[in-house]
Amino acid sequence: MTQLALIIDLNVCVGCHACVTSCKEWNTSGGAGYLSDDNPYERDPTGCFLNRVQTFEVGEFPNTQTVHFPKSCLHCEDPPCVPVCPTGASYKRAEDGIVLVDYDKCIGCKYCAWACPYGVREVDEHQKVMKKCTLCVDRIYDPKLPEAERKPACVMACPTNARLFGDIHDPESVVSKAIRENGGYQLMPEWGSKPANHYLPRRTTEMRLRADELERVDNPLKIDGLLPKPALKEPALDDVTTW
Amino acid sequence: MHPAFSVIFLTTLIGAGQGLFLALYAAEVGAFLDALPPQAAHGFFAIGSTLAVVFLGAGLFASFFHLGRPERAWRTVAMWRTSWLSREVIVLPAFMGLVAAYGAAHYFGLGDTLLVGAIAMLACVALFVCTGMIYACIKFLQEWATPLTVINFILLGCASGFTFAAAFAAATGSALTGEFAGWAVTFTVAAFLTRAASLIRNQRLKPKSTLQTAVGIKHPRIVQKAQGFMGGSFNTREFFHGASPALVRAVKWGFLVLVFPLPAVLLAAGAYFQSTPVLIVAFVVQYLGLMLERWFFFAQANHPQNLYYQAVS
Ligand code: SF4
Ligand code: SF4
């Protein structure tokens, strides 16, 4: 079974909020209607967003790290928000594991938001229904988009490639490998909600060189070293080109 | 959590209505067993059931103000297999109908009132359980996730319902004023014990979620520097009560006085002097106290999502 998810790499996220604005732009322009804002240019601006980037400081000065932390619905494999919904508006799709809200059924009782430990559901104060990340379900299957763009808007926007998108149930997928090889983890594992989205921790940055990057690939006979070195008094390439 | 007045009214009003119905039915069963004097079908049971339905209806009415889209409220019956909220929405009108039928059966002398009352009593208990479980079933709201939540809803509802029944009995000149007042005091004392138990339990709770598990970084010192927006959001409005610690403490002591000792004294005095006004005051005082109690119930619940919303910037 497929379980689509986002992998957020905290090692490379620079906290630029490009995913936030891109998410807002895409999701306020779609068929499901706008994501409402109040006082956008006044005091106390507020609005409904499906993705937020937060910032934490870890450690004691001067040994601190600034961690930028994007947060959206984690599309839990055992989502506590779904069974509590009295109308069935909140549901988890069997085919790809995306947790969605049917905006035509939701009565805005907010019970699902109470039942999500992560604080990622936000009521739209004007449409009066619950909203949350849809993993851009209206992008990722759209045959009108070029294959390479069938990804969530946040993933497309991220300038540092801190957001990966794929099926975490396919062990060979990019996201599964990223989780496996980089210590990917889940948020608040203590509640058993099994979030599908994973986070990749801060880690030591290493130079990674492959063997073929050290040696010319178009040098199959390995004859580089056989060329005679010019003697000290002979003209070198520099002398030749100064003619 | 942010206490919503719609839910405070809903839970306190239906609690009183349920307690009142249980008092009426207890009177009928008592009379059937020759333990209590029989009561008038019209003046006592029919009017009492009507008042219970009024309480329940007022609670149901208040609940609509909690919904963003009340016109779709009928959809809530869909998910009764998984959702306690859905179950409550089914049981509440069913119970109202049964209480109305119970009153009507008495009024028109249809007989079978004991049977209708028994079914209504089952619905009444089911309603208490549904209401309590809506809160108790969310395991990460640790202040609520305990059987004490359900027990408190039952005992506090019975206390206020029987207090009202005592005032009602006195007003209608029924011989049961003393009995009802006695039971009301008993429920009030029992509710005090269980509510105090939950207060003590909650004081000792250790939150399972920490900033470390919330962001997944195992360092003892993590401080939020930005929550991602400058103004508020749904997450900062719905999950924080915003009241000062002093006010929260005042509400706690307020309800501890208004719900338990004061009504108990007033009930005793009212029963002793057979005074309707004193018993009415007992009910009003206890009801106001219960509104404070419910406010505190919500304010005390600390949602783990709050870990993510500690600093504006
Ligand atoms: S992150 Fe919250 S809203 Fe999303 S699936 Fe999990 S519990 Fe539900
Ligand atoms: S707010 Fe909407 S989606 Fe959430 S529990 Fe209520 S009806 Fe379901």
Side-chain angles (χ1 to χ4, degrees), chain A residues 72-82 90 92 97-100 112-113 115-121 132-133 193-196, chain B residues 140:
Chain A
S72 54
C73 169
L74 309 166
H75 299 278
C76 301
E77 300 206 41
D78 194 357
C81 57
V82 167
S90 276
K92 185 171 178 69
I98 301 182
V99 176
L100 287 178
C112 54
C116 164
Y118 306 101
V120 295
R121 289 176 167 252
K132 60 178 276 305
C133 163
S193 50
K194 291 197 239 142
Chain B
F140 41 81

Side-chain angles (χ1 to χ4, degrees), chain A residues 84-87 89-90 101 105-112 121 130:
Chain A
V84 301
C85 173
T87 61
S90 276
V101 179
K105 279 191 189 162
C106 174
I107 58 166
C109 68
K110 312 184 194 97
Y111 194 25
C112 54
R121 289 176 167 252
M130 193 55 73

Side-chain angles (χ1 to χ4, degrees), chain A residues 57 59 84 106 111 114 190, chain B residues 72 83 134 209 215 221 223 303:
Chain A
E57 187 179 84
V84 301
C106 174
Y111 194 25
W114 294 12
E190 60 271 25
Chain B
R72 297 178 181 167
S83 168
I134 287 176
S209 288
V215 297
R221 188 179 176 279
V223 189
H303 200 289

Side-chain angles (χ1 to χ4, degrees), chain A residues 106-140:
Chain A
C106 174
I107 58 166
C109 68
K110 312 184 194 97
Y111 194 25
C112 54
W114 294 12
C116 164
Y118 306 101
V120 295
R121 289 176 167 252
E122 299 193 13
V123 155
D124 188 307
E125 302 285 2
H126 291 270
Q127 293 181 18
K128 305 278 184 201
V129 294
M130 193 55 73
K131 301 218 167 157
K132 60 178 276 305
C133 163
T134 65
L135 271 185
C136 282
V137 72
D138 50 347
R139 279 190 72 89
I140 57 178

Side-chain angles (χ1 to χ4, degrees), chain A residues 10 17 44-47 52-61 63-64 67 69 71 74 80 82-89 102-111 113-123 125-130 185-193 199 201, chain B residues 1-2 7 66-70 72-80 82-86 89 133-135 137-142 144 208-211 213-217 219 221-235 237-239 298 303-309:
Chain A
L10 299 182
H17 290 245
D44 298 325
T46 184
R52 306 271 194 184
V53 176
Q54 310 190 313
T55 302
F56 295 89
E57 187 179 84
V58 181
E60 198 101 39
F61 181 81
N63 297 318
T64 56
V67 177
F69 183 82
K71 179 165 75 81
L74 309 166
V82 167
V84 301
C85 173
T87 61
D102 184 336
Y103 301 144
D104 293 331
K105 279 191 189 162
C106 174
I107 58 166
C109 68
K110 312 184 194 97
Y111 194 25
W114 294 12
C116 164
Y118 306 101
V120 295
R121 289 176 167 252
E122 299 193 13
V123 155
E125 302 285 2
H126 291 270
Q127 293 181 18
K128 305 278 184 201
V129 294
M130 193 55 73
Y185 64 86
Q186 296 166 318
L187 305 184
M188 291 188 192
E190 60 271 25
W191 302 120
S193 50
Y199 285 75
Chain B
M1 303 288 293
H2 182 262
V7 185
H66 188 66
L67 305 183
R69 295 281 198 146
R72 297 178 181 167
W74 59 273
R75 287 190 180 274
T76 44
V77 300
M79 301 307 283
W80 56 272
T82 61
S83 168
W84 284 104
L85 179 52
S86 176
V89 171
M133 282 308 289
I134 287 176
Y135 306 97
C137 77
I138 305 178
K139 58 185 168 191
F140 41 81
L141 279 164
Q142 287 170 272
W144 294 351
K208 264 200 200 166
S209 288
T210 60
L211 208 42
T213 69
V215 297
I217 296 172
H219 191 288
R221 188 179 176 279
I222 305 177
V223 189
Q224 185 166 46
K225 290 290 168 185
Q227 61 186 5
F229 46 92
M230 306 296 283
S233 79
F234 172 72
N235 305 80
R237 288 186 291 267
E238 178 77 4
F239 298 93
F298 284 102
H303 200 289
Q305 78 109 35
N306 294 2
L307 292 167
Y308 295 109
Y309 299 93

Side-chain angles (χ1 to χ4, degrees), chain A residues 126-215:
Chain A
H126 291 270
Q127 293 181 18
K128 305 278 184 201
V129 294
M130 193 55 73
K131 301 218 167 157
K132 60 178 276 305
C133 163
T134 65
L135 271 185
C136 282
V137 72
D138 50 347
R139 279 190 72 89
I140 57 178
Y141 297 114
D142 188 350
K144 291 199 292 297
L145 289 175
E147 185 93 42
E149 286 180 25
R150 290 182 210 160
K151 288 181 195 161
C154 56
V155 176
M156 299 286 300
C158 181
T160 61
N161 210 14
R163 306 176 73 93
L164 310 176
F165 170 67
D167 174 14
I168 57 161
H169 282 183
D170 170 6
E172 289 315 308
S173 68
V174 178
V175 286
S176 296
K177 279 191 191 145
I179 295 171
R180 220 165 36 232
E181 292 169 6
N182 300 301
Y185 64 86
Q186 296 166 318
L187 305 184
M188 291 188 192
E190 60 271 25
W191 302 120
S193 50
K194 291 197 239 142
N197 284 11
H198 283 64
Y199 285 75
L200 306 185
R202 283 293 170 88
R203 46 202 187 277
T204 323
T205 310
E206 292 165 1
M207 180 96 84
R208 282 194 209 159
L209 287 176
R210 295 186 303 271
D212 62 342
E213 290 167 333
L214 287 171
E215 213 170 81

